[in-house]
């Protein structure tokens, strides 16, 4: 597996797993940064949390791939998981745009053979910016670092791109700071994309991401009502915890099951017509086949169609769903 997982924020060679909190360099620990990356081959690192791997992140990652080609070095995406905030504040719930494995998969698709996933500990996050830089400078194979202009590091985010630049100025490490990508009157950021998704604007989120927003999940059993009362059997998606879910409403979606695409329509909400207590995500696949409801399932959110509403009776809801399907087919061009 190409990902090198690090339990304490050090840069470890594959297989040299470390105990969290034990990398005190004063003790001459063996797991020092210089012997932590896969090989002695020169490396160019792209640093970031990269939640979403949106168009701004893609610019940073492409710059890293390009620099690595120029330097005949290995490009390495260095990222963090879980979110540093949830380490410092366990009660914080942050709604992420990608799971860890989805993020790694996107790096791979872009051309990164190697990813380092740092699982940040409180110690790692509490270290000074200076100490973070020192540990980087001990990687003898390091020949370049690429980050976005808003990258920060060290305790209280005291280190920034400028400090990174000045620190490495005379050390033979090329630092490239990539400008933030802008669209529709603002900078593209994970926070902005999360807001779009929560507000139901999945179309704009997809534009900022450079691909439709996608959620993978397990199928859970829903209410039999879908089949028996309405005549629209639905697959119920249960996303993993801490995942950004589009706001309540009806959406044109594409379901992916065992590598196949299925145009579909998805309702998010509490089904006010029936007064459910729990929020559900229910997908009706147009070309329904019993068998496909038992497989892992990914959903791409293309465009919102309408708000979820309370209908006076089941027949009125059923007629509206027929309209939703027509509209979704137009949007999905099927
Ligand atoms: N339930 C509602 O109470 N109000 C809605 O506006 C609504 N819209 C839906 C749109 C679609 C395309 C689908 C598939 C379901 C919708 N539902 C809505 C959910 C419906 O009540 C639910 O699928 C059945 O009750 C079975 O759980
Ligand atoms: Mg169902």
């Amino acid at each position: 597996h190409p990902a090198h997982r690090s339990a304490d924020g050090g840069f470890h060679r594959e297989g040299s797993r470390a105990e969290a909190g034990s990398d005190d360099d004063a003790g001459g620990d063996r797991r020092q940064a210089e012997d932590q990356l896969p090989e002695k081959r020169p490396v160019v690192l792209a640093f970031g949390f990269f939640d979403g791997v949106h168009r701004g992140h893609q610019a940073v990652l492409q710059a890293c791939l390009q620099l690595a080609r120029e330097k005949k070095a290995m490009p390495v995406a260095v990222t963090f998981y879980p979110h540093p905030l949830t380490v410092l504040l366990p009660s914080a719930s942050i709604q992420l745009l990608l799971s860890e494995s989805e993020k790694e998969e996107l790096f791979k698709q872009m051309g990164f053979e190697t990813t380092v996933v740092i699982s940040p500990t409180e110690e790692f996050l509490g270290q000074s910016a200076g100490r973070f830089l020192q540990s980087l400078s001990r990687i003898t194979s390091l020949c370049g670092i690429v980050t976005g202009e808003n990258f920060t590091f060290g305790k209280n985010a005291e280190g920034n791109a400028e400090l990174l630049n000045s620190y490495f100025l005379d050390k033979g490490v090329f630092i490239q700071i990539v400008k933030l990508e802008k669209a529709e009157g603002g900078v593209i950021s994970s926070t902005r994309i999360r807001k779009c998704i929560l507000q139901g604007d999945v179309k704009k989120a997809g534009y900022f991401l450079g691909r439709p927003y996608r959620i993978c999940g397990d199928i859970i059993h829903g209410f039999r009502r879908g089949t028996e009362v309405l005549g629209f059997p639905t697959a119920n998606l249960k996303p993993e915890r801490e995942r950004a879910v589009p706001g309540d409403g009806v959406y044109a979606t594409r379901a992916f099951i065992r590598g196949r695409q299925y145009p579909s329509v998805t309702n998010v909400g509490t089904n006010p017509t029936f007064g459910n207590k729990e929020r559900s995500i229910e997908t009706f696949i147009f070309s329904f086949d019993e068998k496909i409801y038992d497989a892992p399932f990914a959903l791409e959110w293309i465009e919102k169609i309408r708000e979820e509403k309370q209908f006076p009776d089941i027949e009125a809801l059923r007629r509206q769903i027929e309209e939703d399907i027509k509209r979704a087919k137009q949007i999905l061009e099927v």
Side-chain angles (χ1 to χ4, degrees):
H1 195 272
H4 298 250
R5 216 154 299 270
S6 163
D8 65 350
F11 301 94
H12 304 289
R13 189 180 287 146
E14 193 162 32
S16 71
R17 212 148 294 210
E19 293 303 310
S22 66
D23 96 339
D24 187 358
D25 57 12
D29 195 297
R30 278 291 303 136
R31 294 172 298 92
Q32 282 186 356
E34 63 246 39
D35 60 19
Q36 303 310 327
L37 274 163
E39 275 153 63
K40 292 289 177 190
R41 193 178 150 195
V43 293
V44 176
L45 307 178
F47 260 104
F49 185 63
F50 298 128
D51 185 34
V53 188
H54 58 58
R55 282 166 40 194
H57 298 144
Q58 288 165 30
V60 172
L61 294 161
Q62 289 297 354
C64 174
L65 292 168
Q66 176 61 30
L67 184 61
R69 273 193 296 272
E70 284 165 19
K71 304 256 179 202
K72 300 199 178 355
M74 179 171 72
V76 178
V78 183
T79 192
F80 306 90
Y81 208 92
H83 195 283
L85 191 65
T86 55
V87 177
L88 297 174
L89 198 68
S91 65
S93 157
I94 174 143
Q95 285 158 320
L96 297 177
L97 305 175
L98 292 173
S99 69
E100 184 177 359
S101 62
E102 285 167 336
K103 190 154 67 173
E104 285 177 36
E105 183 55 36
L106 287 167
F107 292 148
K108 206 161 109 189
Q109 278 173 22
M110 287 189 72
F112 287 87
E113 286 165 41
T114 305
T115 301
V116 174
V117 183
I118 295 173
S119 171
T121 58
E122 275 186 61
E123 290 87 335
F124 175 77
L125 296 168
Q127 76 184 325
S128 68
R131 191 171 151 174
F132 177 80
L133 289 168
Q134 268 170 31
S135 71
L136 276 179
S137 68
R138 280 196 305 266
I139 304 171
T140 51
S141 57
L142 185 63
C143 72
I145 298 176
V146 184
T147 69
E149 63 181 329
N150 61 344
F151 179 64
T152 59
F153 52 92
K155 193 174 185 166
N156 303 325
E158 63 186 8
N160 56 21
E162 213 172 299
L163 182 65
L164 188 68
N165 221 348
S166 58
Y167 181 85
F168 281 105
L169 213 51
D170 56 356
K171 293 184 177 63
V173 176
F174 188 86
I175 304 296
Q176 187 174 348
I177 308 301
V178 177
K179 281 224 172 304
L180 298 180
E181 204 77 17
K182 287 188 182 142
E184 301 200 7
V187 157
I188 297 177
S189 71
S190 308
T191 308
R192 192 169 173 208
I193 297 172
R194 259 174 232 133
K195 275 190 195 137
C196 286
I197 291 167
L198 299 183
Q199 289 164 4
D201 198 348
V202 295
K203 190 176 182 183
K204 192 180 275 184
Y207 170 66
F208 292 152
L209 286 167
R211 79 191 102 80
Y213 181 54
R214 182 187 260 247
I215 296 180
C216 300
D218 294 327
I219 298 208
I220 52 165
H221 281 289
F223 308 98
R224 298 238 160 232
R225 214 163 55 206
T227 319
E228 288 166 11
V229 180
L230 274 176
F232 296 107
T234 56
N236 296 57
L237 185 70
K238 181 166 167 38
E240 52 180 14
R241 279 179 57 242
E242 315 221 298
R243 190 53 192 261
V245 171
D248 290 0
V250 179
Y251 297 83
T253 51
R254 279 195 200 98
F256 289 79
I257 301 161
R258 294 198 193 96
R260 270 197 64 188
Q261 267 196 56
Y262 297 89
S264 54
V265 67
T266 298
N267 184 72
V268 181
T270 51
N271 303 178
T273 308
F274 300 93
N276 293 350
K277 290 210 169 53
E278 305 252 322
R279 176 162 281 98
S280 61
I281 306 172
E282 291 182 282
T283 299
F284 172 68
I285 293 172
F286 306 150
S287 57
F288 174 68
D289 171 354
E290 272 303 330
K291 292 192 281 289
I292 60 182
Y293 279 67
D294 279 326
F297 155 27
L299 202 61
E300 277 186 3
W301 303 77
I302 309 302
E303 191 178 325
K304 186 167 176 177
I305 296 175
R306 64 172 175 89
E307 297 297 327
E308 191 188 38
K309 286 183 284 209
Q310 181 169 356
F311 286 87
D313 54 64
I314 291 169
E315 188 46 34
L317 171 58
R318 215 187 50 71
R319 278 198 305 272
Q320 177 60 57
I321 293 177
E322 296 283 9
E323 290 305 310
D324 298 336
I325 293 168
K326 275 191 204 148
R327 179 73 194 114
K329 284 184 173 172
Q330 283 174 348
I331 293 167
L332 301 169
E333 299 177 336
V334 291

